[in-house]
Amino acid sequence: MNTREQLRMLILAVLDRQPEHGYAIAQAIKGRSEGLLTAREGTLYPALHALEAEGLIESEEHEVGGRLRREYRLTESGRRVLARSRKAWQQQVNAVQAVLGGQS
C-alpha cells in the first residue's frame, strides 16, 4: 500500500465515525496518530475530490459562522472499500512483523 492509498484509507476511516469538513479530517488524522501522521492541504483536497468522483464519499455545503464549509460523508461503497483497505493494511502489518521477527 503506497502513501496515496494510505491517505485515502485514513480519510475513509475518519469519515467512518462521522461526517467532517476538510480541516477537521486533517486534524483527526493528526490527533489520532498523536502527530505522527499529517494530511497537508495540497494532498488532502485532491484525495477528497478523487474519493468523491469515485463515489466513495459525498459532500454537501453548509453555512457555519457565516462561511460555507463542505462536509464530507462516507457512502456505502466507501464503507466496503474501507473494509477491504483495513484488511489489506493488516496483511501488510503482519508481513512486516513476520520479517522483523520477535524483539530481542
Side-chain angles (χ1 to χ4, degrees):
M1 185 176 289
N2 63 36
T3 304
R4 181 178 157 272
E5 292 168 331
Q6 289 174 11
L7 176 59
R8 290 165 53 92
M9 179 180 60
L10 295 174
I11 291 168
L12 295 176
V14 167
L15 295 177
D16 192 34
R17 288 189 180 180
Q18 66 186 35
E20 293 286 5
H21 56 87
Y23 180 77
I25 293 169
Q27 290 304 110
I29 290 170
K30 185 176 181 180
R32 291 183 200 174
S33 70
E34 298 179 356
L36 292 174
L37 303 174
T38 58
R40 299 189 190 279
E41 193 174 312
T43 55
L44 177 65
Y45 288 98
L48 286 168
H49 296 299
L51 289 167
E52 189 168 21
E54 293 172 40
L56 303 180
I57 64 174
E58 55 191 19
S59 68
E60 189 175 331
E61 283 189 343
H62 298 280
E63 188 173 332
V64 177
R67 294 178 38 193
L68 282 180
R69 285 205 170 155
R70 182 164 297 278
E71 185 178 80
Y72 298 90
R73 73 178 42 79
L74 201 56
T75 63
E76 284 306 312
S77 293
R79 287 185 204 291
R80 289 190 294 274
V81 167
L82 176 58
R84 287 193 300 270
S85 295
R86 283 179 167 147
K87 184 177 180 181
W89 178 255
Q90 192 56 57
Q91 289 171 333
Q92 274 196 313
V93 168
N94 293 344
V96 170
Q97 286 177 333
V99 173
L100 292 176
Q103 296 179 0
S104 326

